[in-house]
Amino acid sequence: QVQLVESGGGLVQAGGSLRLSCAASGRSFSSNAMGWFRQAPGKEREFVAGITPTGISTFKTDSVKGRFTISRDNAKNTVYLQMNSLKPEDTADYFCVAWSTWTIQTRSPEYWGQGTQVTVSS
């Protein structure tokens, strides 16, 4: 059974940092693009960041560029999201995802984790 399990969420003050981890099991994702989506209360789910198997990363918009870093450890089948200078508007459930392809796609990813909650207080 393929699973993506997120960890590292929690409550943090504005300006603080969190590091999300996503451990994949059931198959190797070393040849798959992986990434993170988020869903804020009352809003649609949105793409945050993605990373190819060789480490090329893509970020949502200027709202997270320079503050968030995505990385992966293929040997551990794990992807990370380092979030710095957090803002209240970053409050959301964060979901780890994986595509069935090498590259990051515009379509919805095939694999999703259950999500981890991030709350940023002002």
Side-chain angles (χ1 to χ4, degrees):
Q1 181 182 1
V2 175
Q3 283 190 309
L4 302 177
V5 179
E6 304 94 338
S7 61
L11 173 64
V12 64
Q13 288 188 330
S17 298
L18 283 175
R19 188 192 194 205
L20 305 184
S21 299
C22 170
S25 62
R27 58 157 286 182
S28 171
F29 285 94
S30 62
S31 297
N32 298 80
M34 300 186 74
W36 294 88
F37 278 65
R38 69 185 180 185
Q39 186 168 21
K43 296 188 177 181
E44 292 187 355
R45 199 170 287 184
E46 63 178 7
F47 172 74
V48 176
I51 187 167
T52 67
T54 55
I56 298 172
S57 58
T58 300
F59 294 92
K60 171 184 175 289
T61 64
D62 291 342
S63 65
V64 303
K65 284 181 180 178
R67 299 190 299 120
F68 290 11
T69 303
I70 186 170
S71 60
R72 64 190 295 165
D73 185 333
N74 289 333
K76 294 182 178 179
N77 220 16
T78 300
V79 64
Y80 306 95
L81 185 68
Q82 177 69 42
M83 304 185 294
N84 299 326
S85 302
L86 282 162
K87 304 175 181 180
E89 51 263 43
D90 294 318
T91 294
D93 290 326
Y94 283 73
F95 299 88
C96 176
V97 301
W99 285 269
S100 61
T101 54
W102 182 277
T103 55
I104 299 162
Q105 304 294 314
T106 55
R107 69 171 188 270
S108 179
E110 284 78 7
Y111 303 94
W112 290 79
Q114 292 298 308
T116 185
Q117 189 173 54
V118 171
T119 303
V120 184
S121 63
S122 58

